[in-house]
Amino acid sequence: MSRLEEQLRLQRMENRLIEALVDARAPLPPEREGLLRYALSLARLETFQPGAAREGERIERPDVTIRSEAHGKFRRLVLARLAGPLLSELTPRRRLRAADEAIHFFQDRLSEAREDILRNHANDFSRDELDDEISIKSLVNVGGGGGGAGYVYVGAYDVLQNAGIIPRFLMGSSIGAMLGLFRAKTRWADLDEYIALGNRLRPEEVFRVISMKANYGLPGVFRLFLHSGLGPTFRHPTGESYTLADLEIPFEPIVAGIRRGSVGAEFDEYAKTHHLPGDKRPGPLELRAQLASQVVRLVGFANPRVVKEIVLGADELTREFDAIDAAGFSAAVPGILHYDIARKDYRMRAICGELLRREDVVALVDGGLANNVPAKTAWRRVREGRIGTRNAYILAFDCFHPQLSPGHIALHPLEAVIQLQVALNRRYWNRKINFTPTLSPMSVLPSPRKLNRAIEWGRSTMLVHLPYVAKALEPITFRPDHRIQTTASGRYKRLSSILPPPA
């Protein structure tokens, strides 16, 4: 088994333990629960930045890669002894019982591995810094695309914040990037202020039918203007716009790059052959027909031979990307919403031009076409050290999946294609929430009544999942310095002082 497979297997084992701890009517005593959680987290330890877990962000210290033969043996022992109980047992109580009965196999090895790590890295980190990395888990939130269906995320963010849970890293595509931008601005968000801003925005202010030269985006029925409506919210007192580096919570939106030669025409020719309007706004029936035809064509864009995933903010070139522009490009639906740098911002034009050249793409469009729920990318960025600690819980939001509502039925073919792509991320999230119900994906600027309804739906859905998220993020208080008594018993023999027999 490769190290990657070991990491993902340990992560899945931890997920199953958390689910069992929440669902079981008779949970383990705290010290035994803590030992199991500590063992799984220690087994996953590879590289980390000492002090980052406690600080909640990356700090000015080098990463350290663990060197310990005892730790390697301990990891293999945990995989051998806990994988069966945690991955094979179906009921929560049986799962906990079988895992608890395995404690005596590895408790001594756990202490040995920890002490060996501390001896080998005495000059790199302290005992407390090692325990912090093992015991403090950081929330990473991934927001999936889906147009107006994504407004449920606002309610979910509200529930998390009211529970004192603040993301330490955000990543999103399309509407997930738009709403992620708002959430990332400050650690403690004023969600009422953002809701009020959403209610003030007018369609004619954000969506316009005007002719605009395509420089870095792909033509569409509407031109998306965000700086006019959102500019004051993301502007410093000096008048400068926020960049991705200015946001208090690290945030990296996903955009899709159109591969060179994949659209088969220059942009002006593309607009003509796809019947996209110029300066004249089409009538209601014509507009509806144009939108319907463009939605059908979107299926062809959700193809890795047509688009490639690009992470904004992940390197020196894009770290200073204008925050609104980053979200705008991520939400630019080919043939429907055209986002571009229309203002005289030579710094952003230089960044976009270099980005297109470096990635060998001709335009930046909706990130959801390349990776709609980018959990794998978020997992990789955490492993690369984006937030220093590697002990992260990836919570994925998905609003663009087949639902039996009028606003979704017409989009089922596209949603089905996108879900095939989303499935590639399955191994990498700790938990994914499929929000339902939602508004129609086409309700990109809903009325205040619809927006409030979507927010309430999001709150209700998040409350169902909150116990699992809160348990996973609960700091581990167990320390190997204090040995607990274990009982070696048969695989299904009852431990009368801990759990009742299975039903």
Side-chain angles (χ1 to χ4, degrees), residues 347-369:
R347 185 187 69 86
M348 273 305 302
R349 292 192 175 201
I351 291 175
C352 288
E354 175 59 21
L355 181 63
L356 296 185
R357 186 201 63 77
R358 186 187 74 184
E359 300 293 334
D360 194 27
V361 296
V362 297
L364 305 176
V365 296
D366 192 331
L369 296 170

Side-chain angles (χ1 to χ4, degrees), residues 264-456:
E266 297 296 328
F267 289 158
D268 290 343
E269 185 64 26
Y270 179 89
K272 292 177 183 178
T273 56
H274 288 70
H275 309 291
L276 299 175
D279 295 338
K280 183 180 179 181
R281 184 184 183 90
L285 292 178
E286 183 184 358
L287 179 61
R288 183 173 298 180
Q290 288 178 341
L291 290 175
S293 65
Q294 299 306 323
V295 167
V296 172
R297 290 190 175 105
L298 278 178
V299 175
F301 281 94
N303 185 329
R305 289 177 293 186
V306 177
V307 296
K308 66 179 298 187
E309 180 185 27
I310 300 173
V311 184
L312 298 182
D315 54 40
E316 186 175 350
L317 174 65
T318 60
R319 201 164 292 127
E320 297 298 326
F321 213 96
D322 183 286
I324 293 178
D325 289 337
F329 279 118
S330 185
V333 185
I336 297 177
L337 290 178
H338 175 195
Y339 189 85
D340 227 312
I341 309 296
R343 63 193 186 281
K344 293 182 179 179
D345 187 332
Y346 299 108
R347 185 187 69 86
M348 273 305 302
R349 292 192 175 201
I351 291 175
C352 288
E354 175 59 21
L355 181 63
L356 296 185
R357 186 201 63 77
R358 186 187 74 184
E359 300 293 334
D360 194 27
V361 296
V362 297
L364 305 176
V365 296
D366 192 331
L369 296 170
N371 200 348
N372 200 50
V373 185
K376 179 179 179 180
T377 305
W379 190 90
R380 174 176 55 81
R381 292 291 292 140
V382 170
R383 302 297 299 172
E384 291 171 351
R386 181 62 175 87
I387 54 175
T389 178
R390 270 63 166 186
N391 191 2
Y393 185 87
I394 297 180
L395 177 64
F397 290 169
D398 189 0
C399 65
F400 198 66
H401 49 87
Q403 301 181 45
L404 295 177
S405 63
H408 281 268
I409 289 176
L411 296 171
H412 278 188
L414 179 59
E415 289 176 335
V417 170
I418 293 297
Q419 284 301 307
L420 292 175
Q421 170 220 89
V422 170
L424 299 176
N425 293 272
R426 184 186 304 276
R427 298 196 301 165
Y428 298 90
W429 60 62
N430 292 86
R431 192 170 192 84
K432 180 167 83 84
I433 301 179
N434 286 341
F435 285 87
T436 183
T438 69
L439 298 179
S440 166
M442 302 302 288
S443 298
V444 290
L445 264 187
S447 66
R449 182 179 62 84
K450 286 186 175 182
L451 178 60
N452 290 331
R453 185 192 307 165
I455 292 170
E456 286 306 313

Side-chain angles (χ1 to χ4, degrees), residues 119-287:
R119 282 193 300 271
N120 292 345
H121 295 279
N123 297 324
D124 297 323
F125 48 77
S126 68
R127 185 177 299 266
D128 286 343
E129 288 171 336
L130 173 64
D131 284 337
D132 283 346
E133 176 64 21
I134 295 169
S135 304
I136 299 175
K137 194 175 290 291
S138 299
L139 176 64
V140 173
N141 177 243
V142 176
Y151 285 110
V152 289
Y153 301 165
V154 179
Y157 288 141
D158 189 37
V159 168
L160 289 170
Q161 180 164 292
N162 289 338
I165 299 174
I166 306 300
R168 292 189 175 178
F169 178 39
L170 292 158
M171 182 169 281
S173 295
S174 196
I175 189 66
M178 291 293 301
L179 297 177
L181 171 64
F182 281 93
R183 185 61 194 88
K185 184 185 177 187
T186 57
R187 283 182 54 80
W188 293 93
D190 187 345
L191 297 176
D192 290 336
E193 176 189 350
Y194 296 151
I195 293 170
L197 172 62
N199 288 333
R200 289 197 303 270
L201 292 176
R202 296 291 177 264
E204 61 273 12
E205 183 180 23
V206 180
F207 306 110
R208 306 177 191 174
V209 181
I210 64 172
S211 179
M212 183 171 71
K213 178 177 174 55
N215 294 311
Y216 314 106
L218 200 67
V221 175
F222 295 104
R223 275 65 174 179
L224 180 59
F225 286 81
L226 292 179
H227 271 274
S228 57
L230 305 182
T233 304
F234 293 93
R235 188 175 296 145
H236 294 289
T238 58
E240 297 177 343
S241 296
Y242 272 61
T243 68
L244 294 175
D246 294 327
L247 303 171
E248 288 190 9
I249 299 177
F251 169 57
E252 294 180 356
I254 302 296
V255 297
I258 301 291
R259 297 184 185 275
R260 192 173 302 279
S262 61
V263 297
E266 297 296 328
F267 289 158
D268 290 343
E269 185 64 26
Y270 179 89
K272 292 177 183 178
T273 56
H274 288 70
H275 309 291
L276 299 175
D279 295 338
K280 183 180 179 181
R281 184 184 183 90
L285 292 178
E286 183 184 358
L287 179 61

Side-chain angles (χ1 to χ4, degrees), residues 48-166:
F48 73 104
Q49 185 185 53
R54 175 67 59 179
E55 291 296 325
E57 60 184 355
R58 189 162 183 86
I59 57 179
E60 295 297 324
R61 287 182 67 176
D63 288 346
V64 178
T65 298
I66 298 302
R67 305 184 312 276
S68 167
E69 184 177 349
H71 177 251
K73 292 179 179 178
F74 173 73
R75 182 179 61 252
R76 292 188 291 272
L77 181 62
V78 168
L79 284 164
R81 292 296 182 179
L82 283 180
L86 293 177
L87 300 181
S88 300
E89 297 294 347
L90 299 180
T91 68
R93 284 188 294 173
R94 284 186 180 275
R95 200 179 309 158
L96 291 184
R97 181 176 299 103
D100 183 83
E101 291 176 1
I103 285 177
H104 71 280
F105 286 113
F106 59 78
Q107 181 174 230
D108 290 338
R109 295 287 183 87
L110 186 154
S111 298
E112 292 172 7
R114 178 170 175 259
E115 292 304 317
D116 191 54
I117 291 171
L118 289 169
R119 282 193 300 271
N120 292 345
H121 295 279
N123 297 324
D124 297 323
F125 48 77
S126 68
R127 185 177 299 266
D128 286 343
E129 288 171 336
L130 173 64
D131 284 337
D132 283 346
E133 176 64 21
I134 295 169
S135 304
I136 299 175
K137 194 175 290 291
S138 299
L139 176 64
V140 173
N141 177 243
V142 176
Y151 285 110
V152 289
Y153 301 165
V154 179
Y157 288 141
D158 189 37
V159 168
L160 289 170
Q161 180 164 292
N162 289 338
I165 299 174
I166 306 300

Side-chain angles (χ1 to χ4, degrees), residues 16-36:
R16 295 278 288 172
L17 174 62
I18 294 299
E19 291 169 1
L21 291 169
V22 174
D23 293 337
R25 287 177 294 176
L28 293 172
E31 68 275 10
R32 305 179 82 87
E33 171 190 324
L35 190 153
L36 286 169

